[in-house]
Amino acid sequence: MLIFWICVAIGVIVFGLMIWSIINYRKSKGAAPDVTLVHNTKVEFAWTIVPIIILVVMAVPAAKTLIEIEDTTRSELTIKVTGFQWGWEYDYLDDGVAYYSRLDHQSDAARELASGIDPNSVPHYLLNVDHPFVVPVDTKVRLLVTGADVIHSWWLPAFGVKKDAIPGFVNEAWFKIDKDKPGLYRGQCAELCGRDHGFMPIVVDARSKEDFAAWLKQKAAEQKQAAAPATPAGGAAGTADNAPAAAPTTVAAAAGGAGSS
């Protein structure tokens, strides 16, 4: 933004002088061309040196910003982001939590041809997901961005992050949300990745560090429980195997009684 305002100032000065010259030295006011005009060494020196000084001054903050954009050191949380047709997978590498994020069901239903659903009635149409990407505020979050099938692009304008997700290759990016700015941030895939390219939004749910820690702990427990093998019914099986020989007769008698009734 600093570079932007410098460019605005330069544009105002340059175009202001051009417009002033056009208005004040026009033919209708009697202005005549100066056929004796010769080069002015001082003016040419000035309009060469001044732009050089401006570029050097602009290069310092620009170079600093470019270096910071690529500096993923001292990150506090590393998350692998994988793009696929058509959605995102978020893998919290150090915490054993991973899940998929896709277009929410309401938007998915409304987008169907002849669905009869008014898109204006769907909150955040095509910009909502079933499982948001949860991150803490006031934390430097490092992203490892890759692709599972074709090239995608993880783009979140509010963070100034746009990284291609390329199969077989890992790109790095980072962001840090201000402590006083929790909430939802929305983005999209910015690469033409197939026929449903427009239906893979990104939603980041920024929470306080305490809320994030509680969410991560709960999510890890849920996924650990879901991944655990089913406990065999050893007690029930043992009872059936060791049942006395009269047990089948009892069951048959009970069945017969039920049939009689």
Side-chain angles (χ1 to χ4, degrees):
M1 292 306 298
L2 173 63
I3 300 300
F4 170 75
W5 288 118
I6 292 176
C7 292
V8 168
I10 294 172
V12 168
I13 294 172
V14 172
F15 284 100
L17 286 172
M18 288 176 62
I19 294 170
W20 178 82
S21 300
I22 292 170
I23 292 174
N24 287 278
Y25 295 98
R26 63 186 191 273
K27 187 177 181 180
S28 60
K29 287 191 67 174
D34 185 357
V35 297
T36 62
L37 182 67
V38 293
H39 293 290
N40 187 310
T41 304
K42 292 182 180 179
V43 172
E44 291 190 352
F45 183 81
W47 71 38
T48 301
I49 295 300
V50 170
I52 292 176
I53 294 174
I54 293 173
L55 288 174
V56 170
V57 171
M58 290 170 63
V60 174
K64 181 181 178 182
T65 301
L66 289 172
I67 292 171
E68 288 179 350
I69 286 174
E70 300 299 330
D71 182 15
T72 59
T73 60
R74 297 184 299 278
S75 57
E76 302 166 76
L77 178 65
T78 299
I79 303 170
K80 180 183 175 184
V81 180
T82 305
F84 63 92
Q85 293 178 311
W86 283 268
W88 303 94
E89 181 188 13
Y90 299 108
D91 188 352
Y92 297 71
L93 298 176
D94 299 326
D95 302 285
V97 172
Y99 60 91
Y100 291 96
S101 178
R102 297 181 176 85
L103 182 68
D104 73 307
H105 300 302
Q106 285 183 292
S107 293
D108 198 31
R111 77 178 180 88
E112 296 293 337
L113 187 64
S115 66
I117 301 174
D118 181 8
N120 295 317
S121 67
V122 180
H124 303 288
Y125 177 61
L126 299 184
L127 288 174
N128 217 354
V129 296
D130 53 1
H131 301 294
F133 178 29
V134 182
V135 296
V137 298
D138 195 29
T139 303
K140 186 172 182 178
V141 180
R142 175 184 175 222
L143 302 180
L144 302 177
V145 185
T146 188
D149 36 43
V150 299
I151 298 177
H152 303 274
S153 186
W154 200 89
W155 175 49
L156 214 148
F159 296 172
V161 175
K162 180 180 179 292
K163 282 292 180 179
D164 284 347
I166 304 172
F169 189 82
V170 177
N171 275 321
E172 286 186 289
W174 71 271
F175 60 83
K176 185 175 183 179
I177 304 170
D178 294 339
K179 187 176 182 180
D180 60 342
K181 293 181 180 179
L184 297 179
Y185 298 86
R186 302 181 190 275
Q188 291 175 296
C189 174
E191 188 67 55
L192 295 175
C193 56
R195 62 181 180 87
D196 281 350
H197 152 72
F199 309 127
M200 51 182 300
I202 300 163
V203 178
V204 174
D205 183 0
R207 304 185 182 185
S208 67
K209 290 187 176 182
E210 295 77 16
D211 288 348
F212 172 77
W215 171 87
L216 192 63
K217 184 178 180 181
Q218 179 185 356
K219 197 76 173 176
E222 290 175 357
Q223 294 194 359
K224 185 177 181 180
Q225 183 178 1
T231 304
T239 303
D241 292 340
N242 299 325
T249 306
T250 306
V251 174
S260 300
S261 63

